[in-house]
Amino acid sequence: MVGCVSRSEDAAVGAAAPSFATVYADRYAPLVRLARMIVGSHAVAEELTQEAFVRLYGAWERVDNPAGFVHTALVNLCRTHLGRAARTETRATDGPAPTGIGEIDETWNALCRLPAKYRLVLALRFYEDLSEADVARVLGLRVGTVKAQTHRGLARLREELS
Amino acid sequence: MTMLSDDELAGRLRRTYDAVAASTAVVTPPVSAVTSPRPDPVDASGGRPSAWLLVAASLLLVLGGVGALTWISPDDGGPASSIEQLTTRVRHATLSAIPAGFGLLTIESTADTDTLGFGDGVRELTIRTHRQQPGDSIETAGGNPVAVRATVAEVTGSEDAGFSVRWVEQPGVVVEVLADGSWRLAEVVDIADQIVMVTDETWARLTASAGFATVDDADRVVVDERSPEIPEAGRMDRSLAGSLQTGVRIQLWSSYGPGTDDDTRSVGRWVDDVYIVTATDDDASIRIRRDGITIAEVAAPRDPSMPHRRFASFEARGLDAGAELTVEFLDTSGTVLHRLEVPR
């Protein structure tokens, strides 16, 4: 298995910096899954993830933390996609429930009906298990905003499930 | 159904995410899928201006490290990597405080139109445009309105749908957006915050929220030289803008000539090796010489929004630190009207 090693970690052990191919191989699948949790659609998630890696490739020489860069780029792309989809009312999801497990599919479908900002915050908070401070940093929001959006997102999800 | 507590709901959410993630089979495409040059910048950018459009107003020059010249122009083509680089450069973007809130503001640019999208909570939107002179700060530009003032009142959008406003880009014109609305205090620091954007032919897409501004695809954002020092990492101060979210490194432009009077010529070095030449209406072309040897000559097209000014740009990369550039301003007959030394 190819390990994900930041450049600073590489330096610490005297190893060579990871190649783009290494970062790509290591991070592609997890990022597709993250994007799917945010945007709902597997196909869109793959497109956005590829675009994020295109950006990483273009900026490779200037990037100190490739994994962090591509993660943030992907989150921004998801955010842009959701905003655009909301304005054009073209929200793409995978349609049928994904797992065949009642509670899971019910929750997933409710999740996909939430406004974009809540889906983004909830995915980072509860899928990636980022702290509120880290979510705030990634999204460029204040911690108070993240707390409020998390609370409202859960409330909306509760409404959708009731 | 029993009402779930936040903790119970969070647990259910985590189980859902885990199950969906486990059911998401991902086949990683070959790395070449993201490293191969894209054949058409228009297609690749999703409708943003192509590299050709971006450089149409001026011929850009790249000087190779060993003196080899590579021209990039709308006509003769250039290396794919260079084209990509041009599409990712925004040469003129200045912003001030940014309203907070998710997706509050997005800008999407097509060939000649910007679409401003707002999220929820915005009730009133004022758009003002001003003519921007090179070197102007936001304050001076804001005090010199010359174009339109439009107010879109009582704009209401659904929580998620938002709305949009379009305007046509004009090179050198500041588009100032003041948004007011019923934002909740948890989501915004101040109402009636202000966003100022300066557009020119290289304008790309800008996304801003919560104190961050992201110029998509930009590898550098040029900010006013009077701006306070920008940290290299971390959240930007609200008095300034620029994003490090996508790894963008903000650089203050290193110098700029006076360039505000009609009869003043100047050469400004913006970032790294990109130079902007401000010329007068008498100047038809710009000749660049290095250590007395002519290395390039570029046209100085007239800027439609600034009829008495002409602008050209060139990029000098890889020159020795001690190399000196001379920029000559020529009229239509090839006579040198003015000469400026540009130390590196």
Side-chain angles (χ1 to χ4, degrees):
Chain A
M1 176 179 172
V2 179
C4 176
V5 182
S6 72
R7 290 186 171 184
S8 58
E9 287 169 335
D10 275 338
V13 297
S19 67
F20 178 82
T22 301
V23 176
Y24 178 77
D26 191 60
R27 300 305 306 157
Y28 182 83
L31 288 176
V32 168
R33 295 191 177 95
L34 168 63
R36 189 187 183 199
M37 299 310 142
I38 297 172
V39 301
S41 162
H42 191 168
V44 172
E46 288 190 322
E47 285 179 18
L48 296 178
T49 305
Q50 290 195 21
E51 178 62 26
F53 274 103
V54 167
R55 294 180 183 198
L56 173 63
Y57 186 69
W60 182 254
E61 295 301 323
R62 306 185 303 276
V63 174
D64 293 328
N65 179 1
F69 179 98
V70 72
H71 178 272
T72 305
L74 178 65
V75 170
N76 283 338
L77 286 166
C78 289
R79 179 153 59 173
T80 301
H81 169 81
L82 288 173
R84 184 182 299 123
R87 285 194 298 280
T88 58
E89 297 182 353
T90 54
R91 181 175 296 175
T93 62
D94 290 338
T99 66
I101 304 170
E103 177 194 284
I104 299 299
D105 293 349
E106 182 188 17
T107 309
W108 175 252
N109 291 332
L111 199 54
C112 289
R113 292 193 294 272
L114 293 186
K117 59 184 175 185
Y118 300 141
R119 292 162 62 181
L120 188 61
V121 169
L122 292 179
L124 294 174
R125 188 78 181 85
F126 297 113
Y127 174 63
E128 291 227 296
D129 275 332
L130 297 183
S131 67
E132 288 169 337
D134 285 341
V135 174
R137 180 181 50 77
V138 169
L139 296 179
L141 299 173
R142 295 185 303 158
V143 175
T145 303
V146 171
K147 286 180 179 177
Q149 292 191 352
T150 302
H151 177 73
R152 293 189 193 115
L154 288 174
R156 285 290 296 269
L157 183 63
R158 187 180 291 110
E159 290 174 16
E160 293 287 341
L161 289 170
S162 64
Chain B
M1 177 181 172
T2 306
M3 196 67 78
L4 297 173
S5 68
D6 275 7
D7 285 344
E8 291 169 330
L9 199 52
R12 181 166 172 170
L13 202 47
R14 286 193 172 95
R15 291 193 298 276
T16 299
Y17 282 134
D18 289 344
V20 175
S23 72
T24 303
V26 179
V27 178
T28 304
V31 70
S32 60
V34 295
T35 58
S36 298
R38 297 185 167 192
D40 184 344
V42 173
D43 291 343
S45 63
R48 293 195 300 275
S50 72
W52 302 135
L53 288 173
L54 295 178
V55 301
S58 59
L59 204 57
L60 298 184
L61 168 68
V62 176
L63 302 181
V66 293
L69 298 181
T70 304
W71 289 88
I72 303 171
S73 79
D75 299 316
D76 63 9
S81 58
S82 298
I83 294 170
E84 179 64 18
Q85 187 175 21
L86 290 177
T87 63
T88 60
R89 175 168 295 121
V90 173
R91 228 179 258 127
H92 201 164
T94 310
L95 356 158
S96 67
I98 307 298
F102 170 79
L104 191 59
L105 173 69
T106 59
I107 300 290
E108 294 178 21
S109 291
T110 57
D112 60 358
T113 302
D114 287 333
T115 298
L116 171 70
F118 268 85
D120 60 305
V122 177
R123 292 286 178 81
E124 182 173 314
L125 182 69
T126 302
I127 300 174
R128 298 187 303 207
T129 61
H130 314 281
R131 191 153 294 165
Q132 173 86 357
Q133 299 287 338
D136 271 1
S137 69
I138 292 169
E139 289 74 22
T140 57
N144 183 32
V146 295
V148 300
R149 180 186 178 106
T151 300
V152 183
E154 296 300 323
V155 176
T156 56
S158 67
E159 182 175 18
D160 208 21
F163 60 90
S164 65
V165 177
R166 292 173 184 270
W167 65 83
V168 177
E169 281 191 11
Q170 295 180 64
V173 170
V174 179
V175 179
E176 182 181 295
V177 179
L178 297 102
D180 196 354
S182 60
W183 297 303
R184 287 159 290 218
L185 287 179
E187 295 182 348
V188 70
V189 178
D190 299 303
I191 60 173
D193 266 337
Q194 188 181 89
I195 297 173
V196 177
M197 293 157 288
V198 181
T199 64
D200 68 3
E201 71 276 10
T202 61
W203 178 251
R205 187 172 58 194
L206 181 146
T207 306
S209 71
F212 275 89
T214 302
V215 181
D216 284 354
D217 297 331
D219 56 357
R220 300 183 189 94
V221 177
V222 181
V223 296
D224 190 280
E225 60 186 336
R226 280 163 283 192
S227 300
E229 185 174 353
I230 305 171
E232 288 208 344
R235 181 170 174 152
M236 305 303 301
D237 185 89
R238 283 171 50 79
S239 65
L240 197 57
S243 172
L244 302 172
Q245 283 188 303
T246 56
V248 173
R249 183 181 297 272
I250 309 298
Q251 297 187 7
L252 295 173
W253 86 50
S254 57
S255 66
Y256 205 92
T260 53
D261 300 327
D262 284 350
D263 60 350
T264 303
R265 299 173 174 92
S266 66
V267 179
R269 183 178 176 187
W270 285 57
V271 288
D272 286 353
D273 298 310
V274 177
Y275 292 81
I276 306 297
V277 181
T278 303
T280 73
D281 203 32
D282 297 329
D283 306 319
S285 62
I286 306 298
R287 180 188 291 155
I288 299 108
R289 293 159 67 90
R290 173 194 174 188
D291 298 334
I293 300 172
T294 298
I295 52 177
E297 188 170 323
V298 299
R302 189 177 281 111
D303 185 325
S305 69
M306 302 174 68
H308 301 298
R309 311 295 290 166
R310 289 172 179 262
F311 294 94
S313 62
F314 64 93
E315 184 172 349
R317 182 183 304 155
L319 290 180
D320 298 336
E324 192 166 80
L325 297 176
T326 302
V327 177
E328 295 178 338
F329 300 76
L330 288 74
D331 65 13
T332 52
S333 69
T335 303
V336 176
L337 300 177
H338 193 71
R339 187 175 283 114
L340 283 176
E341 303 295 329
V342 184
R344 286 173 53 78

